[in-house]
Amino acid sequence: RHPQRITRTIKSFVSYMKAMVIEMTEKQLYTSAWDECPRVAVVMATYNGIKYLEEQVDSIFSQNGVNVSLYVYDDCSTDGTPTLLKKLSNEYGSKGKTLVYTKGEENVGFPTSFFKALASVENSFDFYAYSDQDDVWKESKLYVAVKALELTSGNSSRPSLYFEPTT
């Protein structure tokens, strides 16, 4: 009914969250022990995404203040994406990080690919995030999202969703 009011509210909230992150000192952001950080499962579907994929995966595992695991479903890529995902899974696995990669047997399209990636996730996460294969995330993206969602955690009768538009 009031799209301008909603837009202003969203812009105000985003500004508030950005200011909150800027005001944090590096010490405040990184003092939590790794195991005490919120656990976030990042779900990604890929299809012929080799061009930007490594940079995006690196940005996901560079997130501050959260413990991230990445679950990827590849929808029958033919450009080397599966080989890269296997390499990255081994590389990050050797660093104690989790990248679970599943190669599809037939092309099912991106909506079903996201559902298949989500189906491979364990139930032991505090939050879930979706990622495109060609994005690059700021290091505080998930931390800001978690803090925003924690503001709504007192109302468990309604699910919460955080959205950050790309620029």
Side-chain angles (χ1 to χ4, degrees), residues 34-43 66-71 98 100 118-129:
W34 180 253
D35 291 335
E36 295 174 11
C37 291
R39 295 196 64 217
V40 180
V42 177
V43 178
V66 293
N67 183 343
V68 176
S69 295
L70 177 59
Y71 293 82
T98 302
V100 176
L118 184 60
S120 71
V121 177
E122 310 158 10
N123 283 335
S124 60
F125 290 92
D126 302 308
F127 299 93
Y128 299 83

Side-chain angles (χ1 to χ4, degrees), residues 9-150:
T9 301
I10 291 170
K11 285 182 180 178
S12 295
F13 178 75
V14 169
S15 295
Y16 167 75
M17 291 306 295
K18 285 181 181 177
M20 207 168 96
V21 169
I22 290 169
E23 289 178 13
M24 290 179 185
T25 64
E26 194 169 302
K27 182 180 176 190
Q28 289 171 312
L29 191 58
Y30 301 112
T31 52
S32 295
W34 180 253
D35 291 335
E36 295 174 11
C37 291
R39 295 196 64 217
V40 180
V42 177
V43 178
M44 178 191 293
T46 59
Y47 178 73
N48 290 341
I50 195 167
K51 185 175 181 181
Y52 302 105
L53 183 59
E54 187 165 6
E55 189 176 7
Q56 172 57 344
V57 170
D58 290 344
S59 77
I60 289 169
F61 283 117
S62 295
Q63 295 297 299
N64 296 320
V66 293
N67 183 343
V68 176
S69 295
L70 177 59
Y71 293 82
V72 182
Y73 180 87
D74 183 71
D75 197 17
C76 299
S77 293
T78 59
D79 68 345
T81 296
T83 303
L84 177 58
L85 284 168
K86 186 174 183 178
K87 175 190 149 242
L88 292 171
S89 179
N90 291 332
E91 187 178 299
Y92 279 104
S94 71
K95 297 175 183 177
K97 301 194 180 215
T98 302
L99 191 163
V100 176
Y101 153 65
T102 305
K103 179 162 177 38
E105 295 178 13
E106 64 177 323
N107 187 272
V108 294
F110 76 90
T112 302
S113 293
F114 270 106
F115 284 120
K116 287 182 177 272
L118 184 60
S120 71
V121 177
E122 310 158 10
N123 283 335
S124 60
F125 290 92
D126 302 308
F127 299 93
Y128 299 83
Y130 291 90
S131 171
D132 288 331
Q133 66 187 7
D134 60 352
D135 292 343
V136 176
W137 289 358
K138 294 178 184 174
E139 290 179 341
S140 62
K141 178 183 177 73
L142 291 178
Y143 182 81
V144 171
V146 164
K147 290 303 175 190
L149 289 167
E150 285 176 346

